[in-house]
């Protein structure tokens, strides 16, 4: 590993002389920066700036409201349990459902595969 | 490491987890931690579950003992929640587990997700009472009229049952996402750190915590750095450190003032301004900080290197080890695929002579400080025959690739080893790939 650093430094020292002539990017990091800027010309110059940090601070999927969140969770659960079809289909519109009539929605506790 | 004359030779011991390549999100391992004796090994995952393994040793008195970690307890630590005020989902992913030193028969650990810390008690039950006067064996109550004599219930042995119960829930103290927890050497308090604040808790008190560091600027537009990790000193109960996204570490003394916004020491390596690039600040962000066991040094991990700092010298690290310097010429793609933001952890061995950290392609690296040697090893199912010695791996940065080397472009950046742990006394290590836990042991243990 240290051998690589020496090579980079040696390359830098000789290239500095050539820089004026060839105007070439030398360090690998600067070369990568040039590549990035070429692909994204609108990229600002402050990478660690407040935009990036603020994006980091607000990690986590945002939902419109709690109803949206619960709908999304229900969709995932329905995908995982395709056999959980309601048995009493005639509830809708027929009479006011009571808690006993509704199909149970218990969260499925799946054990970790590390404990398998 | 592998070589003549008593060097460490790492062998495969066990692997835990599913073999199939289709990894469910919930199975992604997010933290690994040995307890203070090394007898217990805890893992946390993205699904909010904790699995604890216990070491079982054969031939304990022989120099070449074989040990095996088997499942001891597993429980659901955190559940997904919804922050109604901000309409944000709170992940159940376990960010950190920290064990408390054992005080009695039970074991205690702290586990945390982004917002809530919980204290779990893990206790064994190997006896049960029998011979109740008022209850039948199945629990039904007897008709009191049928009872004609009294007896004293006795405790009879039963199959070992390990129970985990939440004893404390420390909630609602963090606006931002918790990245670290650290138990104090006083065994009464602990700290929790999020992106902008650090709080001090008492293990017995859940409705109050003290804020000891607050780096939130008055105007969020002025935000320039965040806290990335924090840890208490192993012996000095008044001292802790926290690292930042700008590559600095601040050491704070709680005796100096109630709010430790002013550091006692600032550790920062001076940067050569001519080398500065777009990526400099991002790759200097410290992803982990760990004190040495003897309390004289601390180690930091940034994207490309591991640095050892002497607590008495603030202006530069005493040792720097390159983890995967060949990635410096790949930073553009690593930025595009977000890998540049990966947070690697690091750890010390028991006597602080060797440090370890993970890399990509399921490689992990060890640096022997005394012998000035390093090695790259791989955690893979292909090297998983019992006691199979791990062969050192080598990455070819450029030019001609030798026979057993792998080229940088062939590395799998989806196979990252972010979490590793070293047994506190012995040469046993736990290495987490995405969804598997590997345990390796030194051949001559």
């Amino acid at each position: 590993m240290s051998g690589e650093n020496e090579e980079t430094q040696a390359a830098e020292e000789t290239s500095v002389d050539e820089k004026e002539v060839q105007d070439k990017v030398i360090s690998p990091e600067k070369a990568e920066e040039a590549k990035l800027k070429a692909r994204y010309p609108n990229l600002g110059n402050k990478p660690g700036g407040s935009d990036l940090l603020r994006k980091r601070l607000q990690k986590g999927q945002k939902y419109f409201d709690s109803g949206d969140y619960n709908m999304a969770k229900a969709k995932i659960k329905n995908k995982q349990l395709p056999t959980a079809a309601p048995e009493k289909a005639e509830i809708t519109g027929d009479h006011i459902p009571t808690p006993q009539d509704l199909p149970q929605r218990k969260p499925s506790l799946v054990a970790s595969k590390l404990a398998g | 490491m592998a070589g003549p004359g008593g060097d460490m030779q790492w062998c495969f011991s066990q692997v835990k987890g599913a073999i199939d390549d289709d990894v469910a999100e919930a199975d992604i391992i997010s933290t690994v931690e040995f307890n203070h004796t090394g007898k217990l090994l805890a893992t946390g995952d993205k699904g909010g579950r904790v699995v604890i393994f216990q070491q079982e040793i054969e031939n304990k008195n022989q120099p070449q003992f074989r040990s095996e970690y088997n499942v001891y307890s597993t429980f659901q630590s955190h559940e997904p929640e919804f922050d109604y005020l901000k309409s944000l989902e709170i992940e159940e992913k376990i960010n950190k587990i920290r064990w408390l030193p054992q005080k009695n028969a039970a074991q205690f650990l702290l586990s945390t997700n982004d917002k809530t810390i919980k204290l779990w008690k893990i206790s064994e039950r190997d006896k049960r009472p029998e011979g109740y006067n008022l209850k039948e064996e199945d629990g039904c109550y007897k008709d009191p009229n049928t009872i004609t004599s009294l007896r004293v219930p006795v405790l009879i042995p039963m199959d070992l049952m390990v129970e985990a119960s939440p004893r404390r829930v420390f909630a609602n103290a963090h606006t931002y996402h918790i990245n670290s927890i650290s138990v104090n050497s006083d065994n009464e308090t602990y700290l929790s750190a999020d992106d902008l604040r650090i709080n001090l808790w008492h293990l017995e008190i859940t409705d109050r915590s003290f804020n000891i560091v607050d780096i939130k600027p008055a105007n969020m537009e002025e935000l320039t750095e965040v806290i990335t990790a924090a840890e208490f000193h192993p012996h000095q109960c008044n001292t802790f450190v926290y690292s930042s996204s700008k590559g600095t570490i601040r050491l704070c003394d709680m005796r100096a003032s109630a709010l430790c916004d002013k550091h006692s020491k600032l550790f920062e390596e001076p940067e050569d301004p001519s080398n500065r690039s777009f990526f400099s600040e991002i790759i200097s962000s410290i992803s982990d900080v760990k004190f040495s066991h003897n309390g004289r040094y601390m180690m930091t991990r940034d994207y490309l290197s591991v640095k050892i700092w002497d607590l008495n010298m603030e202006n530069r690290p005493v040792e720097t080890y390159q983890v995967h310097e060949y990635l410096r010429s790949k930073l553009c793609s690593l930025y595009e695929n977000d890998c540049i933001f990966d947070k690697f952890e690091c750890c010390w061995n028991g006597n602080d002579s060797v440090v370890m950290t993970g890399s990509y392609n399921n490689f992990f690296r060890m640096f022997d400080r005394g012998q000035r040697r390093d090695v790259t090893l791989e955690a893979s199912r292909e090297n998983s025959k019992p006691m199979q010695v791990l062969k050192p791996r080598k990455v070819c940065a450029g030019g001609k690739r030798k026979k057993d080397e792998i080229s940088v472009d062939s590395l799998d950046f989806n196979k990252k080893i972010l979490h590793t742990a070293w047994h506190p006394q012995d040469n046993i290590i736990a290495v987490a790939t995405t969804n598997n836990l590997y345990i390796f042991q030194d051949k001559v243990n």
Side-chain angles (χ1 to χ4, degrees), chain B residues 172-228:
Chain B
N172 302 320
H174 286 278
T175 309
Y176 303 98
H177 298 109
I178 298 173
N179 52 54
S180 315
I181 45 174
S182 177
V183 185
N184 202 346
S185 53
D186 67 7
N187 216 358
E188 287 187 346
T189 58
Y190 74 93
L191 64 75
S192 58
D194 67 30
D195 292 311
L196 296 177
R197 298 190 178 104
I198 302 179
N199 293 331
L200 180 72
W201 301 84
H202 191 286
L203 286 165
E204 300 286 323
I205 299 168
T206 56
D207 63 355
R208 229 176 316 170
S209 92
F210 287 101
N211 175 243
I212 50 177
V213 173
D214 188 339
I215 65 167
K216 183 174 181 204
N219 182 359
M220 283 300 269
E221 306 270 319
E222 291 162 25
L223 183 67
T224 54
E225 68 183 324
V226 294
I227 298 168
T228 52

Side-chain angles (χ1 to χ4, degrees), chain B residues 189-420:
Chain B
T189 58
Y190 74 93
L191 64 75
S192 58
D194 67 30
D195 292 311
L196 296 177
R197 298 190 178 104
I198 302 179
N199 293 331
L200 180 72
W201 301 84
H202 191 286
L203 286 165
E204 300 286 323
I205 299 168
T206 56
D207 63 355
R208 229 176 316 170
S209 92
F210 287 101
N211 175 243
I212 50 177
V213 173
D214 188 339
I215 65 167
K216 183 174 181 204
N219 182 359
M220 283 300 269
E221 306 270 319
E222 291 162 25
L223 183 67
T224 54
E225 68 183 324
V226 294
I227 298 168
T228 52
E231 198 181 47
F232 264 121
H233 190 278
H235 316 307
Q236 294 165 17
C237 57
N238 53 291
T239 305
F240 66 92
V241 292
Y242 68 93
S243 58
S244 86
S245 53
K246 275 185 150 176
T248 63
I249 310 101
R250 286 172 175 79
L251 184 141
C252 302
D253 185 337
M254 294 196 290
R255 297 170 302 187
S257 71
L259 190 58
C260 297
D261 278 0
K262 246 182 79 164
H263 54 262
S264 298
K265 294 196 186 184
L266 174 65
F267 297 84
E268 189 173 12
E269 184 167 24
E271 196 196 5
D272 182 0
S274 66
N275 275 340
R276 194 164 176 79
S277 77
F278 177 86
F279 304 110
S280 301
E281 194 174 302
I282 302 174
I283 62 173
S284 71
S285 175
I286 292 171
S287 50
D288 195 15
V289 64
K290 291 263 170 51
F291 278 104
S292 60
H293 291 96
N294 61 22
R296 290 171 51 203
Y297 300 95
M298 66 179 174
M299 164 167 56
T300 57
R301 176 68 156 97
D302 52 69
Y303 191 61
L304 297 179
S305 67
V306 159
K307 293 179 180 167
I308 313 278
W309 303 78
D310 184 324
L311 294 184
N312 296 316
M313 189 160 75
E314 298 166 63
N315 60 354
R316 59 179 170 84
V318 289
E319 291 152 42
T320 301
Y321 300 104
Q322 302 301 337
V323 181
H324 35 220
E325 181 66 14
Y326 47 78
L327 295 183
R328 203 179 283 271
S329 50
K330 300 285 169 198
L331 291 177
C332 181
S333 1
L334 293 168
Y335 179 86
E336 289 178 301
N337 63 18
D338 273 355
C339 283
I340 206 175
F341 300 106
D342 285 336
K343 297 187 179 61
F344 292 95
E345 290 173 9
C346 53
C347 60
W348 298 84
N349 74 338
N351 61 13
D352 302 330
S353 60
V354 184
V355 296
M356 168 168 69
T357 189
S359 177
Y360 295 103
N361 209 69
N362 283 347
F363 288 172
F364 57 100
R365 304 262 287 134
M366 284 188 195
F367 302 94
D368 188 324
R369 302 172 63 209
Q371 306 213 340
R372 308 213 142 268
R373 263 193 276 192
D374 60 86
V375 70
T376 305
L377 300 171
E378 182 180 2
S380 96
R381 294 263 176 183
E382 282 155 22
N383 310 322
S384 55
K385 287 199 275 290
M387 295 315 280
Q388 178 178 0
V389 177
L390 296 181
K391 211 175 65 158
R393 313 287 279 136
K394 195 133 176 16
V395 176
C396 167
K400 280 186 88 168
R401 185 180 76 90
K402 295 197 194 102
K403 196 185 93 165
D404 279 333
E405 289 181 357
I406 179 166
S407 80
V408 183
D409 297 310
S410 312
L411 295 174
D412 188 342
F413 289 94
N414 289 318
K415 293 190 174 162
K416 7 189 152 202
I417 290 179
L418 303 173
H419 313 286
T420 59

Side-chain angles (χ1 to χ4, degrees), chain A residues 29-30 32-33 39-40 47-48 50 53-54 56-57 59 61-63 66 69 110-111 113-114, chain B residues 27 43 49 82 84 86-87 89 177 195 224 274 276-278 280-281 328-332 336:
Chain A
E29 219 174 290
K30 292 240 171 84
E32 290 296 296
E33 180 177 12
R39 288 188 204 176
Y40 307 100
S50 54
L53 289 177
R54 268 185 294 167
R56 179 193 172 136
L57 291 184
K59 171 186 99 170
Q61 197 175 352
K62 197 164 174 108
Y63 290 88
S66 61
Y69 170 75
V110 184
K113 295 197 179 116
L114 292 183
Chain B
D27 292 327
T43 60
R49 300 163 301 193
F82 189 69
Y84 290 88
K86 297 182 192 163
S87 292
E89 176 177 42
H177 298 109
D195 292 311
T224 54
S274 66
R276 194 164 176 79
S277 77
F278 177 86
S280 301
E281 194 174 302
R328 203 179 283 271
S329 50
K330 300 285 169 198
L331 291 177
C332 181
E336 289 178 301

